[in-house]
Amino acid sequence: MRGLPYAARLAFGLRRPKHPVLGFDVAGTVIAVGRSVTRFAEGDEVYGFGEGTFAEYATVPEGNLARKPTNLSFERSAIVPVSAVTALKGLRSAGKLRAGQHVLITGASGGVGSYAVQLAKALGAEVTAVASTTKLELVRSLGADHVLDYTYEDFADGARHYDLILDIAGSPSIARLRRALTPNGTAVIAGGEDGGKLTGMSRQLSALAISPFARQRLTSFVGSVRTVDLEQLTAYIEAGTVTPSLDRTYPLEQTADAMRRLDAGEVRGKVAITI
């Protein structure tokens, strides 16, 4: 939305957005299908990942959709795809999480973090969540075993070491992440807030450069939403293991206000745009 990092403009538009209608997550009812579509029909309730979804109508590839969880509203379904799949892949695919491991999640009260806490518990981990003072109760309610208030507690103070760190907050240095890891631990960098304005990936690049020469594993990943991922999340959601954390909803005409509040870090979990 802000045209940062600058390298992203090669894909999203050099001087202005290539696609003027923003939005990726989507949930709604299918009103038409292409001739090659076999998995869905008109009237199906679906959710997934599209393009230009801040709109009354959106076109979405069949492989980016799944049937909406039966126990969720459209609003709650719409806040699942990108954030929850990112959390799932960060923990399982990139982090190679195993049951019984101790996991630290930074940015635990945000969109990705609120899912990561729940999914890490579902995968059998002992979870420590890092959040601000006003959001500690939220992460406790999500199932975190331990919570740290980053305003006065340092997860890298040596008091505890973690088998896996999923760094979503985007600000800890590589050195701090390594200090908090066990000797053979893994740090997965998912956040890019302090990754620099040029590439947005300075920490990821540093981690990849260091990792081959260290016992600890430092990595990152690029998430993509596919039907199989959504179907796995649907199973967790319908079983009650994962519950989307919806802060509030906004009508379409207030989308800009919703994005400003999200950008300011005022949101607990996610917000949804309704039509």
Side-chain angles (χ1 to χ4, degrees):
M1 289 184 292
R2 284 182 276 170
L4 296 173
Y6 291 116
R9 296 189 182 196
L10 297 174
F12 296 110
L14 290 176
R15 299 182 62 185
R16 61 179 61 86
K18 185 182 297 184
H19 303 287
V21 180
L22 302 179
F24 293 116
D25 289 303
V26 67
T29 302
V30 176
I31 62 165
V33 296
R35 282 179 287 182
S36 62
V37 172
T38 59
R39 298 184 61 251
F40 303 107
E42 293 181 24
D44 286 347
E45 296 182 346
V46 298
Y47 75 136
F49 177 86
E51 196 169 88
T53 61
F54 290 167
E56 186 176 359
Y57 298 99
T59 56
V60 183
E62 180 182 28
N64 292 9
L65 291 174
R67 299 192 190 286
K68 180 181 75 67
T70 57
N71 57 339
L72 289 188
S73 64
F74 283 114
E75 290 83 1
R76 288 189 179 274
S77 297
I79 65 172
V80 171
V82 174
S83 293
V85 168
T86 299
L88 184 63
K89 290 190 173 182
L91 292 168
R92 193 179 57 188
S93 301
K96 303 186 186 305
L97 175 62
R98 301 188 305 275
Q101 288 189 318
H102 292 185
V103 178
L104 177 79
I105 298 170
T106 69
S109 64
V112 176
S114 60
Y115 288 111
V117 171
Q118 298 177 79
L119 288 166
K121 288 297 297 179
L123 294 169
E126 181 177 336
V127 178
T128 297
V130 182
S132 64
T133 307
T134 59
K135 298 176 181 178
L136 295 182
E137 285 307 313
L138 169 65
V139 294
R140 285 193 184 97
S141 72
L142 296 173
D145 298 292
H146 316 281
V147 297
L148 294 177
D149 185 338
Y150 69 73
T151 62
Y152 70 92
E153 295 177 284
D154 182 7
F155 67 79
D157 62 4
R160 191 165 194 171
H161 294 88
Y162 304 92
D163 301 300
L164 171 62
I165 298 176
L166 180 59
D167 174 34
I168 306 164
S171 58
S173 67
I174 301 300
R176 283 186 67 208
L177 292 174
R178 294 190 65 190
R179 284 200 302 270
L181 284 174
T182 59
N184 296 300
T186 296
V188 178
I189 301 174
E193 287 84 350
D194 285 352
K197 290 185 177 181
L198 180 59
T199 67
M201 298 183 67
S202 61
R203 293 191 315 129
Q204 286 92 328
L205 294 173
S206 296
L208 292 174
I210 294 170
S211 190
F213 307 99
R215 290 174 60 190
Q216 295 160 326
R217 182 167 163 265
L218 311 173
T219 188
S220 61
F221 67 102
V222 177
S224 59
V225 179
R226 295 292 182 265
T227 298
V228 63
D229 305 311
L230 294 168
E231 289 176 342
Q232 291 170 356
L233 290 168
T234 297
Y236 282 124
I237 292 167
E238 292 185 340
T241 306
V242 172
T243 301
S245 180
L246 178 61
D247 185 281
R248 61 171 289 189
T249 62
Y250 292 82
L252 182 62
E253 59 269 22
Q254 293 179 16
T255 297
D257 294 332
M259 295 301 101
R260 290 188 191 101
R261 186 163 172 259
L262 187 69
D263 188 49
E266 299 172 1
V267 173
R268 302 183 183 194
K270 299 277 285 181
V271 295
I273 306 302
T274 61
I275 298 175

